Amino acid sequence: MGNLLYGKNSNLNIQKCGVIGCGAVGATSAHTLLGSGLFNEIVLLDINRKKAEGEAMDIGHGAPFVKPVNIYAGDYSDLSDAYLVIITAGANQMPGETRIDLAEKNVKIFKSIIPKIVEYNKDCILLIVSNPVDILTSVALKLSGFEPSRVIGSGTVLDTARFKYLLGEHLGVDSRNVHALIIGEHGDSEVAVYSSANISGVDLDEFCQTCNKCGDRESMHQIYEEVKNSAYEIIERKGATFYAIARVVKRIAQALIRDENAILTVSSLVEGRYGIHGVCLGLPSVVGREGVKWIIDTPLDENEEKQLTESAGKLREVLEGLNI
């Protein structure tokens, strides 16, 4: 693809990305991206330079098995021509700790990271993965001064994938044929959109009546609870989640670079949808090379819309309590 003239005065390499934060999520994301064929240059940054160097070496040793990629540890100046900057840096979520509990710690980290990115690159797309992702997407938007379309959080893309996977397992069908959404906060107030859920076009309720695998909607609610608590369950067992979110990072990067106009439940600034203003949260959005092109007004029933409004309210309350 070569370089892409992106923005008014910037020549960015669309096949170059930076990953800031070389913990489990950052390193696994970089490893996943190495084999994706999307990038020919990946720069890793971490407060611990030796950690970044070690990850670059370890991941890079697999390069002979994939399309050519130059992966190395670098500095913020190395991001000057990067099309995409992925931020995974931040404190880890501890057992029993909610994503919102992480907010104060990680806002401080973002205050040191975002200005350094902007110093060298004002035209890239920021992909926020650190938790609480919706709060930190809002923080990154404010600190960067970027257009809202270019500050994207991983949102509820992972939650939606978990929802599809668990529904598919429950119903005995391929999860790729399950069309269902989780929206709102990537966290405890997230909303399962059952009203439009379907299995290859067959309404979920109707499908359940014919497959004889579901007793009632209550069994569906249990799946939602499992989705919502997945991270807690995984963290309790192995200390962190990183494989599935790395797949999410790759999927969003692919939609951006290939200008797919893919519909993904990423987190971005919401102004006016469902009466919500001034917060970032996950909603079905058209994602292409310029970032979030537009947010889709997905039909919600009365209860779902109420839950979404409450989710936005909880995020707004946290934001108002932060010193940004």
Side-chain angles (χ1 to χ4, degrees):
M1 292 183 194
N3 285 345
L4 167 73
L5 186 63
Y6 185 86
K8 293 181 179 177
N9 302 304
S10 179
N11 195 24
L12 301 185
N13 181 357
I14 196 170
Q15 288 185 295
K16 179 176 180 178
C17 80
V19 178
I20 302 177
C22 291
V25 173
T28 309
S29 295
H31 176 261
T32 303
L33 292 172
L34 182 86
S36 68
L38 295 170
F39 298 104
N40 58 25
E41 188 173 352
I42 301 172
V43 54
L44 305 183
L45 286 78
D46 195 273
I47 193 169
N48 182 345
R49 174 70 182 230
K50 287 188 176 180
K51 179 73 161 67
E53 291 173 350
E55 295 293 358
M57 291 168 67
D58 192 12
I59 296 168
H61 292 165
F65 303 108
V66 298
K67 293 179 181 178
V69 183
N70 178 24
I71 183 167
Y72 58 94
D75 302 306
Y76 284 92
S77 59
D78 294 304
L79 300 175
S80 62
D81 62 339
Y83 161 75
L84 178 63
V85 177
I86 301 162
I87 305 177
T88 69
N92 291 328
Q93 186 176 353
M94 303 302 291
E97 186 177 38
T98 70
R99 297 178 181 94
I100 296 299
D101 291 335
L102 287 174
E104 288 286 357
K105 296 185 224 177
N106 286 345
V107 165
K108 291 178 183 176
I109 293 171
F110 267 51
K111 283 183 175 179
S112 68
I113 290 174
I114 302 298
K116 291 176 185 175
I117 297 171
V118 176
E119 180 182 352
Y120 293 100
N121 190 333
K122 294 180 173 62
D123 297 297
C124 65
I125 288 176
L126 295 177
L127 175 55
I128 313 302
V129 185
S130 312
N131 278 318
V133 68
D134 304 291
I135 298 297
L136 294 177
T137 302
S138 292
V139 171
L141 178 61
K142 183 171 183 179
L143 293 175
S144 68
F146 285 7
E147 299 95 331
S149 62
R150 292 195 289 117
V151 181
I152 305 168
S154 53
T156 55
V157 178
L158 175 55
D159 310 83
T160 294
R162 287 170 172 160
F163 195 35
K164 292 179 178 181
Y165 172 78
L166 291 171
L167 279 172
E169 289 288 294
H170 180 73
L171 298 172
V173 299
D174 188 333
S175 60
R176 293 173 297 178
N177 298 126
V178 177
H179 306 288
L181 302 171
I182 298 286
I183 61 174
E185 177 203 357
H186 173 54
D188 295 340
S189 69
E190 62 191 31
V191 181
V193 184
Y194 286 108
S195 62
S196 62
N198 68 85
I199 312 301
S200 287
V202 179
D203 180 80
L204 179 60
D205 286 338
E206 184 179 339
F207 189 91
C208 287
Q209 290 172 12
T210 59
C211 77
N212 295 319
K213 288 181 176 288
C214 312
D216 51 31
R217 179 58 67 87
E218 184 59 33
S219 62
M220 292 291 101
H221 182 72
Q222 289 303 117
I223 290 176
Y224 161 73
E225 290 293 329
E226 191 172 344
V227 170
K228 187 176 69 172
N229 295 321
S230 287
Y232 301 133
E233 295 291 335
I234 295 168
I235 289 168
E236 182 183 341
R237 287 165 171 78
K238 58 174 277 190
T241 69
F242 42 88
Y243 292 123
I245 188 62
R247 290 285 178 185
V248 167
V249 169
K250 176 193 169 186
R251 181 67 191 93
I252 296 171
Q254 178 181 307
L256 290 164
I257 289 168
R258 294 182 178 173
D259 199 20
E260 289 184 340
N261 291 335
I263 298 173
L264 301 168
T265 53
V266 294
S267 183
S268 65
L269 182 66
V270 180
E271 289 288 5
R273 297 299 199 283
Y274 310 102
I276 297 168
H277 295 270
V279 296
C280 294
L281 48 72
L283 288 174
S285 306
V286 177
V287 180
R289 192 163 292 175
E290 297 171 3
V292 171
K293 295 186 176 181
W294 73 87
I295 296 172
I296 294 174
D297 292 315
T298 302
L300 304 176
D301 66 24
E302 185 177 343
N303 185 52
E304 291 163 351
E305 189 161 347
K306 179 175 178 288
Q307 289 178 313
L308 180 61
T309 301
E310 290 172 353
S311 182
K314 290 178 180 179
L315 290 169
R316 185 177 295 103
E317 186 178 340
V318 174
L319 280 169
E320 290 173 351
L322 294 173
N323 180 25
I324 304 173

